[in-house]
Amino acid sequence: MTAAPHRADSTAPSRSATLPGRAIAALATAALALVAAFVLAPRTRAASGPGDDFGEAGELAGAFREAFVAYWNSGERALSPDLDRIVDHWFRYHLAKAVIAAMALIVLVVLGVLLWKAFLKADGPGAGRRLSLAAAGVLATLLALLSLAAVAANIQGATAPFASLLPMLPTGASDGEVADVLARIRRDLAVVPRAGDQEPPALDVMIGDFARYHVAMAVIAAIVAVGLVVLGVSAWRRFRRTEPADRRARRTLGSFGVLAVLASLFAIVVAVANTSTAVDPRPALLAFFEGGW
């Protein structure tokens, strides 16, 4: 009598079913690790240069204000050694944050794709698992958008680190050397130079770096807008090809299409606003030093 062929237990999960769960768990862990690295690692990386350990943010701000005043009073165009060291530190800080944020963005995009695919494939009468997958997918999508914004902001900061340091100046200061320098900056910015007029060298450098700061964001926002439009069009095409009976897939694709379109419109507004400022940076820089920007 021959033995009956062995049959696998139909209740045991298949290898293909367990792999997405493991991948989701691994990606979620990686995302958490990258969030922690985004907060903790950049300051350590930025302080890798000699004499660049500024400790707390307040120490960096104090060092920048002192170096900024000395630079302005020097009458030179080239950054002073102290200010150059701080600007270089700030460049490395933003570069490190941009790299980590980009890694987090990639992880979150992959995680979001897996979560939404799992949501669309989830079967069975129970709605709990589908609801959990949908909530996790929404969270991953929102975190991916935040990571995208972090990438853009830190690329902008790394492109024009001097301009991105300016918010550390106490623009509302009413006494002291910093207040005197800021008053002179506001006075010089309020006067539109005529042909042949010479700007104070430090002010000319600030205006140029401020313009570059906004050019960077205009370019980044334009690239993001194009990418979001492509994503939105792809979602809507898949929406139209999906059978009407598959309401879950149609709702998901439709929501992604709407989100991509809205996000692309926001990116276009950001690109236009930054382009306008880059073309004529003087009024915006004056508004900043007057505390209204």
Side-chain angles (χ1 to χ4, degrees), residues 31-43:
L32 290 174
L34 287 167
V35 169
F38 181 81
V39 175
L40 301 174
R43 190 167 297 280

Side-chain angles (χ1 to χ4, degrees), residues 8-257:
D9 186 356
S10 60
T11 61
S14 66
R15 185 171 182 271
S16 61
T18 58
L19 280 178
R22 292 178 180 177
I24 288 171
L27 288 168
T29 302
L32 290 174
L34 287 167
V35 169
F38 181 81
V39 175
L40 301 174
R43 190 167 297 280
T44 301
R45 175 65 186 89
S48 60
D52 284 357
D53 187 7
F54 292 103
E56 299 297 326
E59 294 180 28
L60 176 63
F64 172 65
R65 292 166 190 168
E66 183 178 343
F68 180 82
V69 170
Y71 170 59
W72 178 272
N73 290 330
S74 72
E76 300 292 333
R77 181 178 179 83
L79 299 184
S80 64
D82 286 342
L83 185 56
D84 187 58
R85 179 170 60 90
I86 295 169
V87 169
D88 188 53
H89 170 92
W90 205 232
F91 163 76
R92 293 196 303 272
Y93 176 78
H94 279 295
L95 182 62
K97 289 182 82 74
V99 170
I100 295 171
M103 293 170 64
L105 176 61
I106 294 170
V107 169
L108 287 166
V109 167
V110 176
L111 176 61
V113 169
L114 288 180
L115 286 169
W116 285 115
K117 283 185 176 180
F119 167 74
L120 293 177
K121 293 178 181 178
D123 296 322
R129 183 169 182 269
R130 290 196 298 272
L131 183 61
S132 298
L133 288 169
V138 169
L139 179 60
T141 302
L142 293 177
L143 289 175
L145 290 174
L146 288 175
S147 296
L148 177 61
V151 171
N154 283 285
I155 290 177
Q156 183 186 31
T159 302
F162 184 26
S164 69
L165 278 164
L166 293 179
M168 292 187 183
L169 294 172
T171 55
S174 57
D175 55 18
E177 286 186 305
V178 175
D180 292 340
V181 169
L182 294 179
R184 280 183 277 167
I185 291 173
R186 285 191 287 266
R187 185 185 63 241
D188 291 338
L189 283 171
V191 177
V192 179
R194 293 172 295 183
D197 288 349
Q198 292 292 323
E199 294 272 25
L203 182 61
D204 191 46
V205 171
M206 275 193 293
I207 292 173
D209 211 57
F210 190 73
R212 183 162 52 252
Y213 183 78
H214 288 280
V215 167
M217 183 52 73
V219 172
I220 294 166
I223 293 171
V224 169
V226 171
L228 289 170
V229 167
V230 171
L231 182 62
V233 169
S234 176
W236 280 109
R237 284 179 175 174
R238 292 190 62 182
F239 172 85
R240 294 181 62 183
R241 291 198 302 265
T242 303
E243 295 294 331
D246 194 352
R247 290 183 295 177
R248 193 194 312 174
R250 287 176 65 86
R251 283 196 300 266
T252 303
L253 291 169
S255 298
F256 268 111

